[in-house]
Amino acid sequence: MGTVIGPAGIPIGCDGSNVDGLKHSIKLGLGAYEVEFVRGVRMSPRMAREMRGIKERNNIKVSCHAPYYINCNNAKNYSMTKRHLHDCLRVNQHLRFTHVVFHPGFLMGMKREQALKNVIATIKRIVKEAREKGYNNFTLGPETVGKHSQVGTVEELITICKECPECRPVIDWGHLNAFSHGGLKTRKDFIKPLELIREELGKKYLKGLHCHFSEIEYGDKGEIKHHLLGSKWGPDFRVLAELIKERGYDFSIICETPLIEEDALRMKKVLTA
Ligand SMILES: [Zn+2]
């Protein structure tokens, strides 16, 4: 079905719930939709089932973004992190997201290696306890992060995915660019993370790869603020679009610029041009 694009949450031009947001996105001709649980998971089983029906009838990919409060490298807050992820998985039982996207955690003053070890141990424990609750058929999507204080470089995500079969890497292109102070410019720069995933995890991990895209302002420590397409902060969507067209990738791209549906439609135009 090729690469599909959609908004990060309820479109700006839609005044309503996630059900309305999903219907609105379909009407606009978009092929993906991300439910934003970033400030907490709120969705009844009834609404989740309704969304599943709409999703399946219209062949649109639906993912969710887990709360920002998750930190898999904070033992003191384990129960909170678990609660947020389990809340997403509870909704997933009714809706079946392609990915439950989350930011793995913060360094908390530790070396990256130690923080990564802790993150992996936490994810494994949360998955085990989820299975004990009967949650099944879920895919967790640890995301590439934009700030140097966070865990989640492409290499770190690959290690997480090797250790946890329930995980699939989520590539936030804006974050990659912000983290590397504008390191994502040429076609080669875009190929690099994809090749790394293919070499280290295998081709199937690129199938249906979940992505976020936004231009993002950055400083010394990485990510500062999301901007519209064409802001000059980069990365340049056209470079990624060329690559996707050439190689026929079937990615899902969630637009996280301040104009979520307008820019999603602009990206779709670039991709189909
Ligand atoms: Zn995110």
Side-chain angles (χ1 to χ4, degrees):
M1 117 189 207
T3 287
V4 288
I5 300 181
I10 302 163
I12 297 160
C14 168
D15 193 18
S17 66
N18 272 299
V19 170
D20 303 310
L22 180 61
K23 287 183 183 165
H24 190 91
S25 302
I26 293 165
K27 227 183 251 168
L28 290 174
L30 295 168
Y33 184 84
E34 190 149 283
V35 177
E36 295 292 302
F37 286 143
V38 294
R39 315 222 173 264
V41 183
R42 273 172 232 101
M43 186 177 285
S44 67
R46 200 172 138 245
M47 184 187 270
R49 283 193 294 269
E50 189 181 353
M51 286 190 74
R52 183 179 184 172
I54 296 167
K55 167 187 86 146
E56 287 173 357
R57 282 193 300 277
N58 294 278
N59 202 18
I60 180 167
K61 290 185 177 175
V62 179
S63 53
C64 78
H65 197 306
Y68 289 141
Y69 320 113
I70 285 168
N71 182 356
C72 296
N73 183 30
N74 188 348
K76 265 191 239 150
N77 274 330
Y78 174 75
S79 59
M80 188 196 68
T81 288
K82 180 178 88 171
R83 178 165 55 81
H84 287 312
L85 279 171
H86 279 195
D87 282 349
C88 293
L89 297 183
R90 185 167 37 77
V91 176
N92 178 70
Q93 288 298 107
H94 304 287
L95 205 158
R96 297 307 181 197
F97 296 113
T98 61
H99 295 74
V100 173
V101 180
F102 70 107
H103 302 172
F106 291 85
L107 294 181
M108 313 289 288
M110 294 175 201
K111 287 230 160 57
R112 298 203 76 90
E113 297 74 32
Q114 185 56 51
L116 178 61
K117 262 189 203 162
N118 296 347
V119 163
I120 290 169
T122 300
I123 296 172
K124 282 186 169 173
R125 191 172 157 201
I126 287 172
V127 165
K128 182 170 168 275
E129 290 177 34
R131 297 241 182 264
E132 285 162 8
K133 280 187 184 169
Y135 297 151
N136 54 18
N137 294 329
F138 55 84
T139 298
L140 297 176
E143 174 188 339
T144 55
V145 291
K147 297 190 181 99
H148 294 180
S149 56
Q150 294 172 292
V151 177
T153 62
V154 177
E155 290 82 356
E156 286 164 351
L157 297 188
I158 286 171
T159 308
I160 292 172
C161 292
K162 279 183 180 169
E163 297 267 345
C164 312
E166 294 80 6
C167 289
R168 287 284 181 281
V170 171
I171 301 297
D172 185 313
W173 297 97
H175 281 165
L176 283 186
N177 192 55
F179 194 96
S180 60
H181 305 132
L184 215 52
K185 287 195 174 68
T186 66
R187 190 190 141 75
K188 251 193 184 158
D189 301 330
F190 282 87
I191 290 175
K192 210 178 140 199
L194 301 174
E195 283 300 300
L196 211 55
I197 290 170
R198 193 182 57 80
E199 281 164 20
E200 293 289 324
L201 295 168
K203 229 179 16 201
K204 73 170 192 203
Y205 278 74
L206 287 181
K207 188 114 194 57
L209 183 80
H210 194 70
C211 305
H212 286 169
F213 200 97
S214 175
E215 295 205 14
I216 298 181
E217 183 179 338
Y218 49 86
D220 291 346
K221 294 178 180 135
E223 173 183 16
I224 293 178
K225 191 171 174 260
H226 286 229
H227 285 275
L228 298 177
L229 283 195
S231 74
K232 305 292 177 221
W233 279 104
D236 187 341
F237 182 71
R238 291 169 299 186
V239 184
L240 177 62
E242 278 308 310
L243 194 62
I244 288 171
K245 281 196 271 188
E246 246 178 64
R247 300 195 170 184
Y249 287 131
D250 63 343
F251 296 166
S252 281
I253 304 177
I254 298 300
C255 173
E256 289 190 327
T257 77
L259 291 175
I260 44 177
E261 75 267 31
E262 256 179 62
D263 273 349
L265 287 168
R266 284 173 68 196
M267 287 189 211
K268 188 182 166 185
K269 230 177 167 176
V270 173
L271 206 56
T272 48

